[in-house]
Amino acid sequence: MPTETFEFQVEARQLLQMMIHSIYSNKDVFLRELVSNASDALDKLRLEALRDDALGADVSDLHIELETDRQARTLTVRDNGIGMSHDEVVQLIGTIANSGTAAFLRDLKEARDAGDGAAAEGLIGQFGVGFYSSFMVADEVVLLTRRAGEEQGTRWTSTGEGTYTVEAVDEAPQGTTVTLRLKPEDSEDQLHDYTSPWKIREIIKRYSDFITWPVRMAPEPTGTDAGEGQEAGGTDREPETLNSMKALWARSRDEVTDDEYHELYKHISHDWIAPLETVRLQAEGTFEYQALLFIPSHAPQDLFMQGYKRGIQLYVKRVFIMDDCEALMPSYLRFVKGVVDAQDLSLNVSREILQQDRQIQLMHRRLAKKVLSTVKDMMSGDPERYATLWREFGRVIKEGLLSDFENRDAILGVASFATTRDKDEPVTLRQYVERMKDGQEHIYYLTGESREAIENSPHMEAFRAKGVEVLLLTDPVDEVWVEAEPEFDGRKLLSVAKGEVDLGTEEEKKEAATERENRQQEYAELLTWMTDRLSETVKEVRLSSRLTVSPACIVSDTHDVTPALESMYRAMGQPVPQVKRILELNPEHPLVTGLNRAYTGRGEDALTGLEETAGLLHDLALLAEGGELGDPSRFVRLMADRLERTL
């Protein structure tokens, strides 16, 4: 059969140039694509040989071989897989010249004109351009192939410009050989020396280390010519296998040792301390993928820094695609390291496509649920390791309470918190509920900067007196997620610094209500007067049922934003209207009872001094909770004046 010359259509030439220069930002991936194609050919041959006994193909040593020639500046990728017939070469390798090219270009242009980058990338990925990435690094590409079971081979040759040729070859080995006549090395254009063995090793290790078949590199002659190389022993050396072929996620658990898992973890994470937990997941059906995840035993220093890279690596059929695939794992589980290997994604998949891909979204949800269920199992089965995990990563996991509403209950279920009961023993919400006092309806908490500040807060006095356990929430994220008033096991989480406090049994609550009513009548005039005088800073002054020692405290209404959260929003540049809060007075405190007597015994014209006392009482309550005074100099002046009178 004579050599046939085909001319690329104008649209095809434009498309080829666009693909060569625009699709891949990293030119090293051309070798990934060629090795992946070769691996597919080996897979197909193995399957075909099982189906067809008469195929007559040699499947005893299936492999991929790389060969470099520095003098000729060529790189050859060879496999002994299924190969292609003449018609398949025209259909598969020549597909870029098919009539669908014009329609493809039209759709691509429309997507880009509409500013839809993800759709454009998706179209490119569907078109299948892996083989043509060779032209990024080569001036000419020669493909020699023979299909298993056939006698005649085919050679395809092109410079990636105007034409390509196809010719029959009488003698060709089974499989496919792709030879690249490489462009000159150009560091500015990121064109490396792809005849360099170390560069080839680096690319295979990064992208193709775990594919099923051995990737071998023929030894370089050590002399200046073949004979000299032979004398030096260069051609006598065995080919070097570049890939490990140890895709641990594809092997059953009993075939892999813990040491092998730990070695893979170190390779992925660059962390030399063994992981806390290994998580395996295998999904089968319409969309198949495998995952091997690791929970580290300690938090990295940059976990909360902007730009922290997540550790999930994405593979497609054991071929490495990207390092930090954010679409696979929610942000609050960003500390999880590992590998996900999907069977049905394109090798050309982009980050934009991943964010919108339905299969990726399903994987995202499944992986998050799997990690959370693993943490739950650890909580019940190995409390010590769970304690380590929560100590290191609890703060970041709680971020999920703000973003992952689907898993909010699961996150609350694996969370643990410091409480007033035991300084050294955090508790889960399940444990808290199980040991709640009789008559207690809600789960109580208080937020603050530190355990010490919360424990010394006036808001805690009644809870301490009644022996009611309170969660102590000191992480900044706690200020935000508790605002949603979450529930656990049908019980609301309520702040002890908000709303009314109603503790005790039903009988105790009735007695307290009667006493409050009597006290309310006794203090009614003082409360009305103070509410009027402090109206610029508080919405109400009322008697407190939460104070036993302090004279006063400031609380928020049930649905008001806390001062700490107000400050956080303002620090982020988000304007928040200032919310007036409630001043509560302790009717048993001598200062408050004295203030009430003084008010009822004076006329309206003699209340100037009491106004100052009322203001000081408010400021003292504000300071007691760690708040900031509106006018610190006035407070200091008034306090100095009062202290002077006592001397």
Side-chain angles (χ1 to χ4, degrees), residues 326-361:
E326 297 181 359
L328 286 173
M329 192 66 69
S331 175
Y332 67 92
L333 296 176
R334 59 185 176 271
F335 57 88
V336 176
K337 309 293 182 182
V339 170
V340 172
D341 188 359
Q343 302 302 308
D344 303 311
L345 292 176
S346 165
L347 289 179
N348 303 318
V349 69
S350 68
R351 293 185 186 275
E352 292 78 13
I353 293 173
L354 287 176
Q355 291 171 358
Q356 301 177 27
D357 189 278
R358 180 176 175 274
Q359 294 175 332
I360 291 292
Q361 293 171 358

Short mmCIF file of all heavy atoms in Angstrom, two decimals, residues 326-361:
data_model
loop_
_atom_site.label_atom_id
_atom_site.label_comp_id
_atom_site.label_asym_id
_atom_site.label_seq_id
_atom_site.Cartn_x
_atom_site.Cartn_y
_atom_site.Cartn_z
N GLU A 326 -9.17 20.35 45.45
CA GLU A 326 -10.05 20.93 46.47
C GLU A 326 -11.49 20.44 46.32
O GLU A 326 -12.24 20.43 47.29
CB GLU A 326 -10.00 22.45 46.38
CG GLU A 326 -8.62 23.03 46.68
CD GLU A 326 -8.61 24.54 46.60
OE1 GLU A 326 -9.68 25.12 46.30
OE2 GLU A 326 -7.55 25.13 46.83
N ALA A 327 -11.87 20.04 45.11
CA ALA A 327 -13.26 19.64 44.87
C ALA A 327 -13.60 18.31 45.54
O ALA A 327 -14.78 17.98 45.68
CB ALA A 327 -13.53 19.55 43.38
N LEU A 328 -12.61 17.54 45.97
CA LEU A 328 -12.88 16.21 46.51
C LEU A 328 -13.19 16.20 48.01
O LEU A 328 -13.75 15.24 48.51
CB LEU A 328 -11.68 15.29 46.25
CG LEU A 328 -11.51 14.82 44.81
CD1 LEU A 328 -10.20 14.08 44.67
CD2 LEU A 328 -12.67 13.93 44.39
N MET A 329 -12.80 17.24 48.72
CA MET A 329 -12.94 17.22 50.17
C MET A 329 -13.37 18.60 50.66
O MET A 329 -12.81 19.61 50.21
CB MET A 329 -11.61 16.82 50.82
CG MET A 329 -11.71 16.47 52.29
SD MET A 329 -12.67 14.97 52.63
CE MET A 329 -11.58 13.72 51.97
N PRO A 330 -14.35 18.68 51.56
CA PRO A 330 -14.76 19.99 52.07
C PRO A 330 -13.63 20.67 52.83
O PRO A 330 -12.73 20.02 53.35
CB PRO A 330 -15.94 19.66 52.98
CG PRO A 330 -15.78 18.23 53.34
CD PRO A 330 -15.12 17.58 52.16
N SER A 331 -13.71 21.98 52.90
CA SER A 331 -12.63 22.77 53.50
C SER A 331 -12.38 22.37 54.96
O SER A 331 -11.24 22.39 55.42
CB SER A 331 -12.99 24.26 53.42
OG SER A 331 -12.03 25.04 54.08
N TYR A 332 -13.43 22.02 55.69
CA TYR A 332 -13.23 21.72 57.11
C TYR A 332 -12.53 20.37 57.34
O TYR A 332 -12.15 20.06 58.46
CB TYR A 332 -14.57 21.76 57.87
CG TYR A 332 -15.57 20.68 57.51
CD1 TYR A 332 -15.61 19.48 58.22
CD2 TYR A 332 -16.48 20.85 56.48
CE1 TYR A 332 -16.53 18.48 57.90
CE2 TYR A 332 -17.41 19.88 56.16
CZ TYR A 332 -17.42 18.70 56.87
OH TYR A 332 -18.33 17.71 56.57
N LEU A 333 -12.36 19.59 56.27
CA LEU A 333 -11.58 18.35 56.34
C LEU A 333 -10.29 18.48 55.53
O LEU A 333 -9.74 17.48 55.05
CB LEU A 333 -12.40 17.16 55.85
CG LEU A 333 -13.64 16.82 56.68
CD1 LEU A 333 -14.42 15.68 56.03
CD2 LEU A 333 -13.27 16.45 58.11
N ARG A 334 -9.80 19.70 55.38
CA ARG A 334 -8.63 19.95 54.53
C ARG A 334 -7.35 19.31 55.05
O ARG A 334 -6.37 19.21 54.32
CB ARG A 334 -8.42 21.45 54.36
CG ARG A 334 -8.21 22.24 55.65
CD ARG A 334 -8.13 23.73 55.34
NE ARG A 334 -8.03 24.57 56.52
CZ ARG A 334 -9.07 25.04 57.18
NH1 ARG A 334 -10.30 24.74 56.78
NH2 ARG A 334 -8.91 25.80 58.25
N PHE A 335 -7.34 18.88 56.28
CA PHE A 335 -6.15 18.23 56.84
C PHE A 335 -6.01 16.78 56.38
O PHE A 335 -4.95 16.18 56.55
CB PHE A 335 -6.19 18.27 58.37
CG PHE A 335 -7.42 17.63 58.96
CD1 PHE A 335 -7.45 16.28 59.24
CD2 PHE A 335 -8.55 18.38 59.23
CE1 PHE A 335 -8.57 15.68 59.78
CE2 PHE A 335 -9.69 17.80 59.76
CZ PHE A 335 -9.70 16.44 60.04
N VAL A 336 -7.08 16.20 55.83
CA VAL A 336 -7.04 14.80 55.39
C VAL A 336 -6.16 14.68 54.15
O VAL A 336 -6.29 15.45 53.20
CB VAL A 336 -8.46 14.28 55.08
CG1 VAL A 336 -8.40 12.87 54.53
CG2 VAL A 336 -9.32 14.33 56.34
N LYS A 337 -5.24 13.73 54.16
CA LYS A 337 -4.37 13.47 53.02
C LYS A 337 -4.83 12.20 52.32
O LYS A 337 -5.58 11.41 52.89
CB LYS A 337 -2.92 13.30 53.48
CG LYS A 337 -2.40 14.42 54.37
CD LYS A 337 -2.29 15.72 53.62
CE LYS A 337 -1.72 16.84 54.49
NZ LYS A 337 -1.65 18.12 53.78
N GLY A 338 -4.36 11.97 51.10
CA GLY A 338 -4.69 10.71 50.48
C GLY A 338 -4.80 10.76 48.98
O GLY A 338 -4.38 11.72 48.32
N VAL A 339 -5.37 9.69 48.46
CA VAL A 339 -5.46 9.47 47.01
C VAL A 339 -6.89 9.07 46.67
O VAL A 339 -7.50 8.27 47.38
CB VAL A 339 -4.50 8.34 46.57
CG1 VAL A 339 -4.76 7.94 45.13
CG2 VAL A 339 -3.06 8.76 46.76
N VAL A 340 -7.41 9.63 45.59
CA VAL A 340 -8.68 9.18 45.00
C VAL A 340 -8.40 8.82 43.55
O VAL A 340 -7.82 9.63 42.81
CB VAL A 340 -9.76 10.26 45.10
CG1 VAL A 340 -11.00 9.84 44.32
CG2 VAL A 340 -10.13 10.53 46.55
N ASP A 341 -8.78 7.62 43.18
CA ASP A 341 -8.53 7.13 41.82
C ASP A 341 -9.87 6.83 41.16
O ASP A 341 -10.58 5.90 41.54
CB ASP A 341 -7.67 5.86 41.89
CG ASP A 341 -7.21 5.40 40.51
OD1 ASP A 341 -7.58 6.05 39.51
OD2 ASP A 341 -6.49 4.39 40.44
N ALA A 342 -10.26 7.66 40.18
CA ALA A 342 -11.53 7.49 39.48
C ALA A 342 -11.31 6.76 38.17
O ALA A 342 -10.26 6.88 37.54
CB ALA A 342 -12.18 8.85 39.22
N GLN A 343 -12.31 6.02 37.75
CA GLN A 343 -12.17 5.21 36.54
C GLN A 343 -12.74 5.89 35.30
O GLN A 343 -12.36 5.55 34.18
CB GLN A 343 -12.88 3.86 36.74
CG GLN A 343 -12.37 3.06 37.92
CD GLN A 343 -10.89 2.78 37.83
OE1 GLN A 343 -10.40 2.29 36.83
NE2 GLN A 343 -10.15 3.12 38.88
N ASP A 344 -13.64 6.86 35.48
CA ASP A 344 -14.40 7.35 34.33
C ASP A 344 -14.21 8.84 34.05
O ASP A 344 -14.99 9.41 33.29
CB ASP A 344 -15.90 7.09 34.55
CG ASP A 344 -16.17 5.61 34.78
OD1 ASP A 344 -15.67 4.82 33.98
OD2 ASP A 344 -16.85 5.27 35.75
N LEU A 345 -13.21 9.46 34.64
CA LEU A 345 -12.96 10.87 34.36
C LEU A 345 -11.98 11.00 33.19
O LEU A 345 -11.21 10.08 32.91
CB LEU A 345 -12.38 11.58 35.58
CG LEU A 345 -13.32 11.76 36.78
CD1 LEU A 345 -12.56 12.39 37.94
CD2 LEU A 345 -14.52 12.61 36.42
N SER A 346 -11.99 12.18 32.56
CA SER A 346 -11.04 12.45 31.50
C SER A 346 -9.69 12.83 32.10
O SER A 346 -9.61 13.49 33.14
CB SER A 346 -11.55 13.60 30.62
OG SER A 346 -10.53 14.10 29.80
N LEU A 347 -8.61 12.46 31.40
CA LEU A 347 -7.28 12.88 31.85
C LEU A 347 -7.11 14.39 31.71
O LEU A 347 -6.27 14.98 32.39
CB LEU A 347 -6.20 12.17 31.02
CG LEU A 347 -6.01 10.68 31.26
CD1 LEU A 347 -4.93 10.14 30.35
CD2 LEU A 347 -5.65 10.39 32.71
N ASN A 348 -7.91 15.01 30.86
CA ASN A 348 -7.77 16.44 30.63
C ASN A 348 -8.68 17.26 31.53
O ASN A 348 -8.90 18.43 31.28
CB ASN A 348 -8.10 16.76 29.16
CG ASN A 348 -7.22 15.99 28.22
OD1 ASN A 348 -6.03 15.87 28.44
ND2 ASN A 348 -7.81 15.44 27.17
N VAL A 349 -9.20 16.64 32.56
CA VAL A 349 -10.15 17.33 33.42
C VAL A 349 -9.48 18.52 34.09
O VAL A 349 -8.32 18.46 34.51
CB VAL A 349 -10.72 16.36 34.48
CG1 VAL A 349 -9.68 15.94 35.49
CG2 VAL A 349 -11.93 16.96 35.17
N SER A 350 -10.21 19.64 34.17
CA SER A 350 -9.67 20.86 34.77
C SER A 350 -10.33 21.09 36.13
O SER A 350 -11.33 20.47 36.47
CB SER A 350 -9.95 22.06 33.87
OG SER A 350 -11.34 22.34 33.85
N ARG A 351 -9.76 22.04 36.88
CA ARG A 351 -10.34 22.37 38.20
C ARG A 351 -11.75 22.93 38.05
O ARG A 351 -12.62 22.68 38.88
CB ARG A 351 -9.44 23.38 38.92
CG ARG A 351 -8.09 22.80 39.30
CD ARG A 351 -7.27 23.77 40.12
NE ARG A 351 -5.94 23.25 40.34
CZ ARG A 351 -5.60 22.42 41.32
NH1 ARG A 351 -6.53 22.02 42.16
NH2 ARG A 351 -4.36 22.00 41.47
N GLU A 352 -11.98 23.71 36.96
CA GLU A 352 -13.31 24.28 36.75
C GLU A 352 -14.34 23.17 36.49
O GLU A 352 -15.46 23.21 36.99
CB GLU A 352 -13.29 25.26 35.59
CG GLU A 352 -12.50 26.54 35.85
CD GLU A 352 -11.00 26.32 35.72
OE1 GLU A 352 -10.59 25.26 35.19
OE2 GLU A 352 -10.24 27.19 36.16
N ILE A 353 -13.93 22.19 35.70
CA ILE A 353 -14.83 21.08 35.41
C ILE A 353 -15.13 20.31 36.70
O ILE A 353 -16.27 19.93 36.97
CB ILE A 353 -14.21 20.14 34.35
CG1 ILE A 353 -14.11 20.86 33.01
CG2 ILE A 353 -15.05 18.88 34.19
CD1 ILE A 353 -13.36 20.08 31.95
N LEU A 354 -14.10 20.08 37.51
CA LEU A 354 -14.28 19.32 38.74
C LEU A 354 -15.31 19.96 39.66
O LEU A 354 -16.10 19.28 40.30
CB LEU A 354 -12.95 19.18 39.47
CG LEU A 354 -11.92 18.23 38.85
CD1 LEU A 354 -10.62 18.27 39.63
CD2 LEU A 354 -12.46 16.81 38.81
N GLN A 355 -15.29 21.29 39.72
CA GLN A 355 -16.20 21.99 40.62
C GLN A 355 -17.66 21.81 40.22
O GLN A 355 -18.55 21.96 41.04
CB GLN A 355 -15.84 23.47 40.66
CG GLN A 355 -14.50 23.73 41.36
CD GLN A 355 -14.04 25.16 41.20
OE1 GLN A 355 -14.69 25.96 40.54
NE2 GLN A 355 -12.91 25.49 41.81
N GLN A 356 -17.90 21.50 38.95
CA GLN A 356 -19.28 21.38 38.47
C GLN A 356 -19.67 19.96 38.11
O GLN A 356 -20.83 19.69 37.80
CB GLN A 356 -19.46 22.28 37.24
CG GLN A 356 -19.17 23.74 37.52
CD GLN A 356 -19.29 24.60 36.27
OE1 GLN A 356 -20.04 24.27 35.36
NE2 GLN A 356 -18.58 25.70 36.23
N ASP A 357 -18.73 19.05 38.15
CA ASP A 357 -18.99 17.68 37.72
C ASP A 357 -19.85 16.95 38.75
O ASP A 357 -19.53 16.93 39.95
CB ASP A 357 -17.66 16.94 37.53
CG ASP A 357 -17.86 15.59 36.86
OD1 ASP A 357 -18.21 14.63 37.59
OD2 ASP A 357 -17.67 15.48 35.65
N ARG A 358 -20.94 16.36 38.30
CA ARG A 358 -21.87 15.68 39.21
C ARG A 358 -21.20 14.50 39.91
O ARG A 358 -21.43 14.26 41.11
CB ARG A 358 -23.11 15.21 38.44
CG ARG A 358 -24.13 14.50 39.31
CD ARG A 358 -25.37 14.14 38.50
NE ARG A 358 -26.29 13.35 39.30
CZ ARG A 358 -26.23 12.03 39.42
NH1 ARG A 358 -25.26 11.37 38.79
NH2 ARG A 358 -27.10 11.36 40.16
N GLN A 359 -20.38 13.76 39.19
CA GLN A 359 -19.70 12.61 39.79
C GLN A 359 -18.73 13.05 40.87
O GLN A 359 -18.63 12.42 41.92
CB GLN A 359 -18.96 11.81 38.70
CG GLN A 359 -19.90 11.15 37.70
CD GLN A 359 -19.15 10.48 36.57
OE1 GLN A 359 -18.06 10.88 36.21
NE2 GLN A 359 -19.75 9.43 36.02
N ILE A 360 -18.04 14.16 40.62
CA ILE A 360 -17.12 14.68 41.64
C ILE A 360 -17.89 15.12 42.87
O ILE A 360 -17.46 14.91 44.02
CB ILE A 360 -16.30 15.86 41.06
CG1 ILE A 360 -15.32 15.35 39.99
CG2 ILE A 360 -15.54 16.58 42.17
CD1 ILE A 360 -14.20 14.49 40.53
N GLN A 361 -19.05 15.73 42.67
CA GLN A 361 -19.87 16.16 43.81
C GLN A 361 -20.34 14.97 44.63
O GLN A 361 -20.37 15.03 45.87
CB GLN A 361 -21.06 16.99 43.32
CG GLN A 361 -20.65 18.32 42.71
CD GLN A 361 -21.81 19.03 42.03
OE1 GLN A 361 -22.92 18.51 41.97
NE2 GLN A 361 -21.55 20.22 41.50
#
